[in-house]
Every structure is written in C-alpha cells, then in structure tokens.
Amino acid sequence: MGLTKSEIFTEKQNRLAGMMKALAHPARIAIIQNLIKQNSCICGDLVDELGLAQPTISQHLKELKNAGLIKGTIEGTSVCYCIDEKIWKSYKKELESFFIPCQNKDNCC
C-alpha cells in the first residue's frame, strides 16, 4: 500500500483512524487523564506532573489541540488547557460504535 491511500476508505474509517492517532502516544493519554482529573491545567503543571520536558509537553498539547480534543485560553503568559467536552463526547460515541460485540464462530482461532 502506498504512503496514503485514505481515499479508498470510508469517511468514518478515516475519522476513526485520525481519532486513534491523536491518542496513540502514552504521553497524550497521560495528558488527557490529567486534564480530566484536574478539570483544567497549565502546561507547567503538566511538566511537573508527568516529568517530561516542556517542549515535549507542548508538542503533545499541540497534537491534541489539532485533533480538537483540548482547547486552551491564554492567561497572561500561560495557556490553560481543558478537554473540549463536545469533541470528547463525539470521540466516545465513535469509539463505542467501533467496539461492537465480536464472537468467533466455530472457535476458528
């Protein structure tokens, strides 16, 4: 398969792959979990909490923001991030529809 063959897949498949890609790093999972726990957070707090360098945290925040999962507001020289609840709910709905019940017939494996 070529570098990108996204046009051969459905819009829903491409959207779901994009969602999973946005969450496909343990640092991003940790950031999301921390934001949910704290209800909002400033980048410096995440550096202290996760033990990663500030540029690393910033890069992961950028990816999460580009995916729409988080939003930020500028407060002085800092940016306060939080979960975008509307997008979070849409991710939840999409992922739930993906994880449908699966049963192997005839014990094939």
Side-chain angles (χ1 to χ4, degrees), residues 50-108:
L50 301 178
L52 296 172
Q54 192 277 327
T56 302
I57 295 287
S58 292
Q59 183 61 38
H60 287 299
L61 287 168
K62 179 182 173 187
E63 292 295 325
L64 292 169
K65 191 168 183 179
N66 287 343
L69 275 169
I70 63 173
K71 53 188 176 179
T73 56
I74 297 171
E75 295 179 3
T77 59
S78 299
V79 180
C80 184
Y81 291 97
C82 63
I83 300 292
D84 185 320
E85 292 180 41
K86 181 180 175 188
I87 301 299
W88 184 251
K89 286 178 185 177
S90 74
Y91 267 53
K92 184 177 187 280
K93 184 178 178 181
E94 288 281 341
L95 289 170
E96 284 174 345
S97 72
F98 176 71
F99 287 106
I100 58 174
C102 174
Q103 293 181 331
N104 287 330
K105 295 182 179 176
D106 302 323
N107 285 333
C108 68

Side-chain angles (χ1 to χ4, degrees), residues 23-39:
L23 295 171
H25 194 287
R28 293 186 204 143
I29 298 293
I31 289 169
I32 291 290
Q33 289 173 325
N34 195 280
L35 290 175
I36 289 170
K37 182 175 76 175
Q38 299 297 326
N39 199 23

